[in-house]
Amino acid sequence: MEISASILSVNEEESVHTFYRLEIAKVDYFHIDVMDGRFVEKDSQENMKKYADNLKNITNIPLDVHLMVEDVKKYVDIFSPNEPRCITFHYEAVKDKEKIMELINYIKQYSKVGISVKPETNIEVVYDFLPFIHNVLIMTVEPGSGGQELIPETIEKIKTLKKYILDNNLDTEIEADGGINLSNINELKNAGIDIAVVGTALIEAKDYKYMVNKLKE
Ligand code: DX5
Ligand code: ZN
């Protein structure tokens, strides 16, 4: 299982030092939480663009861009120059099947593509797109901020999706995002996730290497 470090809560002054510590701790990805102040209340776009630009000069660890935005194409154009590994947009921001397929193909010009679903969205909505995408980002908290508690009901969605992927011989990766820590990581692993996004539990740990190793154990 891989760890994608959410840098949403990293504060400006310590950001370079924090990024080096995360690199040394060997996180697998840096998770860039782009919020436009419309799809979610918070607006993190300036900060996340600055961090994405800085990271390019600090590390080769790939970027995992999570777009919590209404105008998906606009932010694909802003972040594709950062050469991310994957760009993930929200099903709830688009909904229309044609438009979703268009965005999948648009993003594929630049990176892998993922679809994210909020806690209350049925996991079945992504089934039609699975053959065309690399990743499903299952929100285990309501998108919009870090430091929230994981919503236990979302774990069932991971199990359901995992079963569907296996039953249909698909190889789409499952990523969980929000409120993940040492107390729930094993349940998530057993439910079938391939990648865990970890923000607060990692950024606030005193020893990043220890925390990453424990999470991966
Ligand atoms: C929430 C973001 C998550 C969040 C994860 O909208 O998508 O990536 O920052 O941070 P923690 O681990 O603190 O919930
Ligand atoms: Zn996220």
Side-chain angles (χ1 to χ4, degrees), residues 15 23 62 138 140-141 157 184 199:
S15 59
E23 152 141 285
I138 295 186
T140 42
V141 296
K157 289 168 76 173
N184 55 37

Side-chain angles (χ1 to χ4, degrees), residues 12 22 34 62 68 72 78 84 87 97 107 110 112 117 138 140 146 148 151 161 167 188 191 205 217:
E12 187 83 34
L22 289 168
V34 184
M68 288 162 275
V72 177
I78 293 172
I87 297 176
K97 190 167 173 170
I107 293 169
Y110 307 108
K112 290 180 188 291
V117 285
I138 295 186
T140 42
Q148 300 177 67
I151 300 168
L161 177 61
D167 290 351
L188 289 166
E217 236 169 39

Side-chain angles (χ1 to χ4, degrees), residues 6 31-33 66 68 137 139 177 197:
S6 165
H31 185 81
I32 313 290
D33 280 312
H66 176 197
M68 288 162 275
L137 182 67
M139 293 308 297
D177 185 5
V197 175

Side-chain angles (χ1 to χ4, degrees), residues 6-198:
S6 165
I7 57 173
L8 180 66
S9 59
V10 170
N11 67 37
E12 187 83 34
E13 312 74 75
E14 290 155 32
S15 59
V16 173
H17 182 230
T18 302
F19 296 158
Y20 274 116
R21 286 174 62 204
L22 289 168
E23 152 141 285
I24 291 164
K26 291 195 173 37
V27 296
D28 297 285
Y29 311 109
F30 283 100
H31 185 81
I32 313 290
D33 280 312
V34 184
M35 300 175 182
D36 65 355
R38 298 160 65 117
F39 182 73
V40 290
E41 211 176 304
K42 210 169 166 174
D43 184 338
S44 70
Q45 57 189 295
E46 307 280 308
N47 212 13
M48 288 302 118
K49 179 60 182 170
K50 205 183 301 171
Y51 283 178
D53 291 344
N54 292 350
L55 280 166
K56 258 355 219 178
N57 304 323
I58 293 172
T59 175
N60 293 322
I61 293 177
L63 304 184
D64 167 32
V65 176
H66 176 197
L67 297 180
M68 288 162 275
V69 303
E70 281 181 2
D71 185 346
V72 177
K73 196 169 167 300
K74 172 184 171 188
Y75 290 92
V76 171
D77 292 343
I78 293 172
F79 283 90
S80 50
N82 296 95
E83 298 170 325
R85 172 194 185 255
C86 186
I87 297 176
T88 299
F89 63 93
H90 268 264
Y91 166 80
E92 301 88 354
V94 189
K95 291 202 178 91
D96 173 85
K97 190 167 173 170
E98 294 299 306
K99 285 210 184 72
I100 288 178
M101 283 312 298
E102 253 170 63
L103 280 168
I104 288 169
N105 293 321
Y106 187 74
I107 293 169
K108 270 182 175 170
Q109 302 171 95
Y110 307 108
S111 71
K112 290 180 188 291
V113 57
I115 293 180
S116 184
V117 285
K118 292 182 178 182
E120 76 277 3
T121 302
N122 286 333
I123 195 61
E124 291 78 13
V125 303
V126 304
Y127 286 2
D128 288 347
F129 308 108
L130 291 179
F132 310 102
I133 60 177
H134 302 93
N135 175 299
V136 176
L137 182 67
I138 295 186
M139 293 308 297
T140 42
V141 296
E142 190 60 31
S145 66
Q148 300 177 67
E149 283 294 303
L150 180 137
I151 300 168
E153 290 72 15
T154 57
I155 296 180
E156 211 42 51
K157 289 168 76 173
I158 296 168
K159 290 178 186 164
T160 306
L161 177 61
K162 187 65 182 176
K163 184 177 180 329
Y164 184 89
I165 287 172
L166 293 174
D167 290 351
N168 291 276
N169 297 317
L170 294 161
D171 57 2
T172 325
E173 66 189 16
I174 303 178
E175 184 170 357
D177 185 5
I180 299 176
N181 55 46
L182 290 178
S183 69
N184 55 37
I185 188 76
N186 285 325
E187 206 180 346
L188 289 166
K189 266 183 218 165
N190 297 336
I193 63 166
D194 303 291
I195 305 173
V197 175
V198 185

